[in-house]
Structures are given as C-alpha cells and as structure tokens.
Amino acid sequence: MASDQERDQLAAQLMTLPVHELADVLRRVLPHYTEESNGLRTSLVLATATEYEDEPDGIDVTFVAWPDRDYYDGGLGPDQGLWEGGDCEQCHTEVSSNAKRAFCPVCGSRCELT
C-alpha cells in the first residue's frame, strides 16, 4: 500500500497535466478496476458534472471518452478541453472528449463527436 506522502506526490504530478493528458493517464488505469459478477459489470469512469446557476436541481453528467490514438497517429488529438460531445451509438451514453474521434469509456465503442 502506498503511503499518504506517496499518494500526495502522485496527485501533485497529476495536477500538472493538461486535461487531455490527465484523461489519457486515467484511460490506462480506470478500466483495471472493472468488476463483473452475477450479470453485472461495474466500471470506474471519468466524468464531467455541469451545474447550472439558474437550475439548482439540474446537473448534467457526461462521461469522458478516450481519444482514438490510432486515428491521431499515436497522439491524443487536439488540446482543446473536453468540448467535443455526442452520444455513443452503441450504448447511448452521453460522452465528451478533447478529440472528435474517441472511444466510449463504458462499452469501448468508437464515437464520432462534434
């Protein structure tokens, strides 16, 4: 088990990354925590939550899709924040990404975002 100091050091390193690089690091980690049993699959995912000032009960949650690194020749796509959005055609999950070509973090399908 890592110590508090080691976790603090890791957190400090992660906070220096721009969002698209942080998402790529988490793409490599979060799927390892997927659990399957009794016909259920539970996955850890990265998401954004948007709160609206004029709608206190209205919160939009969108899952962060992983850039299609093959499409971007091994890169992460453009560094433009998580402004590309759409729905996964396979599982109908709402996703966002920094890249127009990405993978759904829930089902792994390719997504074409706008």
Side-chain angles (χ1 to χ4, degrees):
M1 178 184 286
S3 69
D4 282 341
Q5 182 180 6
E6 290 168 326
R7 288 190 300 274
D8 285 344
Q9 288 173 341
L10 179 58
Q13 287 179 298
L14 292 173
M15 286 188 284
T16 66
L17 297 174
V19 170
H20 74 294
E21 290 182 18
L22 176 63
D24 185 60
V25 170
L26 295 177
R27 169 193 65 84
R28 299 164 193 234
V29 175
L30 295 180
H32 292 280
Y33 293 93
T34 297
E35 295 179 4
E36 294 187 43
S37 69
N38 301 322
L40 298 173
R41 184 166 71 89
T42 304
S43 303
L44 285 178
V45 295
L46 180 62
T48 61
T50 304
E51 292 183 77
Y52 300 95
E53 285 182 15
D54 55 345
E55 296 177 37
D57 294 332
I59 298 175
D60 287 333
V61 176
T62 305
F63 297 107
V64 176
W66 319 121
D68 182 346
R69 297 199 62 175
D70 289 336
Y71 182 85
Y72 293 102
D73 296 322
L76 300 175
D79 179 11
Q80 57 189 18
L82 300 173
W83 296 109
E84 301 296 338
D87 292 329
C88 172
E89 290 184 19
Q90 182 70 32
C91 70
H92 309 289
T93 300
E94 188 174 348
V95 296
S96 65
S97 180
N98 64 288
K100 288 187 178 290
R101 303 294 182 267
F103 289 100
C104 176
V106 176
C107 72
S109 297
R110 280 198 169 112
C111 299
E112 294 189 18
L113 308 175
T114 59

